[in-house]
Coordinates of all heavy atoms in Angstrom, one line a residue:
I117 N -11.1 12.5 19.4 CA -12.4 12.5 20.0 C -12.3 13.1 21.5 O -13.1 13.9 21.9 CB -13.0 11.1 20.0 CG1 -13.5 10.8 18.6 CG2 -14.3 11.1 20.9 CD1 -13.8 9.3 18.4
V118 N -11.3 12.7 22.2 CA -11.0 13.2 23.5 C -10.8 14.7 23.5 O -11.3 15.4 24.3 CB -9.9 12.4 24.2 CG1 -9.5 13.1 25.5 CG2 -10.3 11.0 24.5
Q119 N -10.0 15.1 22.5 CA -9.7 16.5 22.3 C -10.9 17.3 22.0 O -11.1 18.4 22.6 CB -8.7 16.7 21.2 CG -8.1 18.0 21.0 CD -7.1 18.1 19.9 OE1 -6.8 17.1 19.2 NE2 -6.4 19.2 19.7
I120 N -11.8 16.8 21.2 CA -13.1 17.5 20.9 C -14.0 17.6 22.1 O -14.5 18.6 22.4 CB -13.8 16.8 19.7 CG1 -13.0 17.1 18.4 CG2 -15.2 17.3 19.6 CD1 -13.5 16.3 17.2
F121 N -14.1 16.5 22.8 CA -14.9 16.4 24.0 C -14.3 17.4 25.1 O -15.1 18.2 25.7 CB -14.9 15.0 24.6 CG -15.6 14.9 25.9 CD1 -17.0 14.9 25.9 CD2 -15.0 14.8 27.1 CE1 -17.7 14.8 27.1 CE2 -15.7 14.7 28.3 CZ -17.0 14.7 28.3
Y122 N -13.0 17.5 25.2 CA -12.4 18.4 26.2 C -12.7 19.8 25.8 O -13.0 20.7 26.6 CB -10.9 18.1 26.3 CG -10.2 19.1 27.2 CD1 -10.3 19.0 28.6 CD2 -9.5 20.2 26.7 CE1 -9.7 19.9 29.4 CE2 -8.9 21.1 27.5 CZ -9.0 20.9 28.9 OH -8.3 21.8 29.7
G123 N -12.6 20.1 24.5 CA -12.9 21.5 24.0 C -14.3 21.9 24.2 O -14.6 23.0 24.7
M124 N -15.2 20.9 24.0 CA -16.7 21.2 24.3 C -16.9 21.5 25.7 O -17.7 22.4 26.1 CB -17.5 20.1 23.7 CG -17.6 20.1 22.2 SD -18.4 18.7 21.4 CE -19.5 18.0 22.6
L125 N -16.3 20.6 26.6 CA -16.4 20.8 28.0 C -15.9 22.1 28.5 O -16.5 22.8 29.3 CB -15.7 19.7 28.8 CG -15.9 19.6 30.3 CD1 -17.3 19.4 30.7 CD2 -15.0 18.6 30.9
E126 N -14.8 22.6 27.9 CA -14.2 23.8 28.2 C -15.1 25.0 27.8 O -15.3 26.0 28.6 CB -12.8 24.0 27.5 CG -11.9 24.9 28.1 CD -10.5 24.8 27.4 OE1 -10.5 24.8 26.1 OE2 -9.5 24.8 28.1
I127 N -15.7 24.9 26.7 CA -16.7 25.9 26.2 C -17.9 26.0 27.1 O -18.3 27.1 27.6 CB -17.1 25.6 24.8 CG1 -15.9 25.9 23.8 CG2 -18.3 26.5 24.4 CD1 -16.2 25.4 22.4
V128 N -18.5 24.8 27.5 CA -19.6 24.8 28.4 C -19.3 25.4 29.7 O -20.1 26.2 30.3 CB -20.2 23.4 28.5 CG1 -21.2 23.3 29.6 CG2 -20.8 22.9 27.2
L129 N -18.1 25.0 30.3 CA -17.8 25.5 31.6 C -17.5 27.0 31.5 O -17.9 27.8 32.4 CB -16.5 24.8 32.1 CG -16.7 23.4 32.6 CD1 -15.4 22.7 33.0 CD2 -17.7 23.3 33.8
G130 N -16.9 27.5 30.4 CA -16.7 28.9 30.2 C -18.0 29.7 30.2 O -18.2 30.8 30.8
I131 N -19.0 29.1 29.5 CA -20.3 29.8 29.4 C -21.0 29.8 30.7 O -21.6 30.8 31.1 CB -21.2 29.1 28.3 CG1 -20.7 29.3 26.9 CG2 -22.7 29.5 28.4 CD1 -21.3 28.5 25.8
L132 N -21.0 28.7 31.4 CA -21.6 28.6 32.7 C -21.0 29.5 33.8 O -21.7 30.0 34.7 CB -21.7 27.2 33.2 CG -22.6 26.2 32.4 CD1 -22.4 24.8 33.0 CD2 -24.0 26.7 32.5
N133 N -19.7 29.7 33.7 CA -19.0 30.6 34.6 C -18.8 32.0 34.2 O -18.0 32.8 34.8 CB -17.6 29.9 35.0 CG -17.8 28.6 35.7 OD1 -18.7 28.5 36.5 ND2 -16.9 27.7 35.5
N134 N -19.5 32.4 33.1 CA -19.4 33.7 32.5 C -18.0 34.1 32.2 O -17.6 35.3 32.5 CB -20.1 34.7 33.4 CG -21.6 34.5 33.5 OD1 -22.2 34.0 32.5 ND2 -22.2 34.7 34.7
Q135 N -17.2 33.2 31.7 CA -15.8 33.6 31.3 C -15.7 33.7 29.8 O -16.5 33.2 29.1 CB -14.9 32.4 31.8 CG -14.8 32.3 33.3 CD -14.0 31.1 33.7 OE1 -13.6 30.3 32.9 NE2 -13.6 31.1 35.0
A136 N -14.6 34.4 29.4 CA -14.3 34.5 28.0 C -14.0 33.1 27.4 O -13.3 32.3 28.0 CB -13.2 35.4 27.8
I137 N -14.6 32.9 26.2 CA -14.4 31.6 25.6 C -13.3 31.7 24.5 O -13.4 32.6 23.6 CB -15.7 31.1 25.0 CG1 -16.7 30.9 26.1 CG2 -15.5 29.8 24.3 CD1 -18.1 30.7 25.6
S138 N -12.4 30.9 24.5 CA -11.4 30.8 23.4 C -11.3 29.4 22.9 O -11.3 28.5 23.6 CB -10.0 31.2 23.9 OG -9.5 30.3 24.9
I139 N -11.4 29.3 21.6 CA -11.4 28.0 20.9 C -10.1 27.9 20.2 O -9.7 28.7 19.4 CB -12.6 27.9 19.9 CG1 -13.9 28.1 20.7 CG2 -12.6 26.6 19.2 CD1 -15.1 28.2 19.8
N140 N -9.4 26.8 20.5 CA -8.1 26.5 19.8 C -8.3 25.5 18.7 O -8.3 24.3 18.9 CB -7.1 26.0 20.9 CG -5.8 25.8 20.3 OD1 -5.5 26.2 19.2 ND2 -4.9 25.2 21.1
F141 N -8.5 26.1 17.5 CA -8.6 25.2 16.3 C -7.3 24.7 15.8 O -7.3 23.8 15.1 CB -9.4 26.0 15.2 CG -10.8 26.2 15.5 CD1 -11.3 27.4 15.7 CD2 -11.7 25.1 15.5 CE1 -12.7 27.6 15.9 CE2 -13.0 25.3 15.7 CZ -13.5 26.5 15.9
A142 N -6.2 25.4 16.2 CA -4.9 25.0 15.7 C -4.5 23.5 16.1 O -4.1 22.8 15.2 CB -3.8 25.9 16.1
A143 N -4.7 23.2 17.3 CA -4.4 21.8 17.8 C -5.3 20.8 17.1 O -4.8 19.7 16.7 CB -4.6 21.7 19.3
L144 N -6.5 21.1 16.9 CA -7.4 20.2 16.2 C -7.1 20.1 14.7 O -7.1 18.9 14.2 CB -8.9 20.7 16.4 CG -10.0 19.7 16.1 CD1 -9.9 18.4 16.9 CD2 -11.3 20.3 16.3
L145 N -6.7 21.2 14.1 CA -6.3 21.1 12.7 C -5.0 20.3 12.5 O -4.9 19.5 11.6 CB -6.1 22.5 12.2 CG -5.7 22.7 10.7 CD1 -6.8 22.1 9.8 CD2 -5.3 24.1 10.4
I146 N -4.1 20.5 13.4 CA -2.8 19.7 13.4 C -3.1 18.2 13.6 O -2.6 17.4 12.9 CB -1.8 20.2 14.5 CG1 -1.3 21.6 14.1 CG2 -0.7 19.2 14.7 CD1 -0.5 22.3 15.2
S147 N -4.0 17.9 14.5 CA -4.4 16.5 14.6 C -5.0 15.9 13.4 O -4.7 14.8 13.0 CB -5.4 16.4 15.8 OG -4.9 16.8 17.0
F148 N -5.9 16.7 12.7 CA -6.5 16.2 11.5 C -5.5 16.0 10.4 O -5.6 15.1 9.6 CB -7.7 17.1 11.0 CG -8.9 16.8 11.8 CD1 -9.5 17.8 12.5 CD2 -9.6 15.6 11.8 CE1 -10.7 17.6 13.2 CE2 -10.7 15.3 12.5 CZ -11.3 16.4 13.2
I149 N -4.5 16.9 10.3 CA -3.5 16.8 9.3 C -2.7 15.6 9.6 O -2.3 14.8 8.6 CB -2.6 18.1 9.3 CG1 -3.4 19.3 8.7 CG2 -1.3 17.8 8.5 CD1 -2.7 20.6 8.8
F150 N -2.4 15.3 10.8 CA -1.7 14.1 11.2 C -2.4 12.8 10.8 O -1.8 11.9 10.3 CB -1.4 14.1 12.7 CG -0.3 13.1 13.1 CD1 1.0 13.2 12.7 CD2 -0.7 12.1 14.0 CE1 1.9 12.3 13.1 CE2 0.3 11.1 14.3 CZ 1.6 11.2 13.9
V151 N -3.7 12.8 11.0 CA -4.6 11.7 10.6 C -4.5 11.5 9.0 O -4.3 10.4 8.6 CB -6.0 11.9 11.0 CG1 -7.0 10.9 10.3 CG2 -6.2 11.7 12.5
V152 N -4.5 12.6 8.3 CA -4.4 12.5 6.8 C -3.0 11.9 6.4 O -3.0 11.1 5.5 CB -4.6 13.9 6.2 CG1 -4.3 13.9 4.7 CG2 -6.1 14.3 6.4
V153 N -2.0 12.4 7.1 CA -0.6 11.8 6.8 C -0.6 10.3 7.1 O -0.1 9.6 6.3 CB 0.4 12.6 7.6 CG1 1.8 11.9 7.5 CG2 0.5 14.0 7.1

Side-chain angles (χ1 to χ4, degrees):
I117 290 168
V118 169
Q119 186 178 6
I120 291 170
F121 177 75
Y122 177 77
M124 290 175 19
L125 184 65
E126 202 173 45
I127 290 170
V128 169
L129 288 174
I131 290 171
L132 291 175
N133 292 325
N134 294 325
Q135 295 175 346
I137 300 169
S138 64
I139 301 173
N140 184 6
F141 286 114
L144 196 57
L145 181 64
I146 290 169
S147 298
F148 281 120
I149 290 172
F150 195 65
V151 166
V152 169
V153 168

